[in-house]
Amino acid sequence: MSEASFDKHFHIEDLAVAKRFVEDLNNPQKVRYTKRNLDVEDKKGVKLLQLKLETLPAKKA
């Protein structure tokens, strides 16, 4: 998971952006996500790729 450091100073010059930033800080939004089983998804992807490769016409040498 990525991490962000807010120990840095920054300056916002646009007033509308500054207001929106303060609103976002005061009203954080929750984000929901579903847990994914990446091992299963990887296996499905490999199977689909294998099927696609099997259906390609054979190259003539």
Side-chain angles (χ1 to χ4, degrees):
M1 181 173 244
S2 64
E3 296 180 14
S5 174
F6 290 99
D7 293 336
K8 300 174 185 168
H9 297 284
F10 57 94
H11 179 73
I12 301 174
E13 296 178 3
D14 188 357
L15 182 60
V17 172
K19 286 181 180 179
R20 178 61 196 236
F21 182 72
V22 171
E23 287 175 9
D24 289 343
L25 289 176
N26 292 329
N27 301 309
Q29 297 181 6
K30 290 184 181 180
V31 177
R32 292 182 180 212
Y33 63 94
T34 57
K35 187 173 181 180
R36 295 167 50 188
N37 187 341
L38 298 179
D39 290 332
V40 172
E41 289 186 24
D42 284 345
K43 288 178 184 175
K44 282 183 185 177
V46 169
K47 285 181 183 178
L48 289 172
L49 180 61
Q50 187 177 20
L51 285 172
K52 185 166 184 132
L53 292 174
E54 288 173 355
T55 59
L56 288 176
K59 282 188 173 180
K60 294 182 180 179

